[in-house]
Amino acid sequence: MRKITVAIFFAVTLLASCSARKQLTPEEALAERERQIQMMSRVYEGMSPNEILMAADRVFRLADSDYTISHAETSLVATRNWVLYLVLTAAFGTDTWVVETFPAENATRVVTRHSGQAQSLAPTPTVGFNGQLGMTASTGPSIQGASTWSGPYRLFYERVDYLLGQRGDWVKCRDAKEGYEGPLDALCMCAEDLLPDGTSYKKVDPAPTNE
């Protein structure tokens, strides 16, 4: 598994998942349900399930070669494990995407869901029976959950649209900033983020040092 050292981690990816949320009223819960259904779903006119699933397959393979993709007749599951190394700690986790297709009149309806799991690993001092100091590694609690912000789904569908010829530009992780709700870690953290032709823009167009 590819290991990448970066300096961004818990603030957005994990700690945000632990923040308390207010209890929704029935009306707010219904509105939230409709919002999630809308952000996770698309309808493609004149497109077959096979065309859409193969485009989704390509999106994940371009995002990161660590993805393992399992196909069924009308769906696929894409899973990858990742590792982040910080100065004195590390984290590891799994991204799982499920893409399902359903027949519609002269069209195909697509529902996509993402869920993630993450856990930290940090050094912990120990004291032996003779008072000798030592060091061991301990893991933090495992945090799991489904993505309920729209940003990752928007980026996923924009890339599917491009591969299906319904969009003129390919959105790179670096450019997906303004207007995207929530972190895009589901597609962009520890990702190779290749272009549609399979090449890396990071080698020929490195990010400015002030980013």
Side-chain angles (χ1 to χ4, degrees), residues 121-168:
L121 180 67
T124 303
T126 61
V127 180
F129 69 92
N130 59 355
Q132 185 175 4
L133 297 179
M135 191 72 68
T136 188
S138 60
T139 57
S142 176
I143 298 175
Q144 304 180 54
S147 294
T148 57
W149 42 74
S150 64
Y153 299 103
R154 174 183 168 184
L155 180 58
F156 168 76
Y157 280 119
E158 286 175 340
R159 292 179 172 184
V160 169
D161 290 348
Y162 176 88
L163 294 175
L164 293 176
Q166 299 189 6
R167 182 184 176 91

Side-chain angles (χ1 to χ4, degrees), residues 184-202:
L184 302 176
D185 297 350
L187 277 177
C188 295
M189 186 173 69
C190 297
E192 293 165 320
D193 196 29
L194 300 179
L195 297 172
D197 62 2
T199 61
S200 173
Y201 67 88
K202 297 177 182 179

Side-chain angles (χ1 to χ4, degrees), residues 74-89:
T74 60
S75 64
L76 67 76
V77 178
T79 306
R80 69 162 180 161
N81 298 317
W82 52 263
V83 175
L84 275 173
Y85 288 112
L86 303 178
V87 177
L88 293 175
T89 186

Side-chain angles (χ1 to χ4, degrees), residues 13-45:
T13 308
L14 295 182
L15 294 183
S17 302
C18 300
S19 59
R21 297 182 181 181
K22 72 169 187 175
Q23 187 69 27
L24 299 181
T25 66
E27 293 77 15
E28 290 172 332
L30 177 60
E32 176 63 12
R33 167 180 163 79
E34 294 174 347
R35 183 190 73 85
Q36 291 187 26
I37 291 173
Q38 182 178 15
M39 75 181 185
M40 296 178 183
S41 305
R42 294 291 188 278
V43 175
Y44 289 94
E45 300 285 343

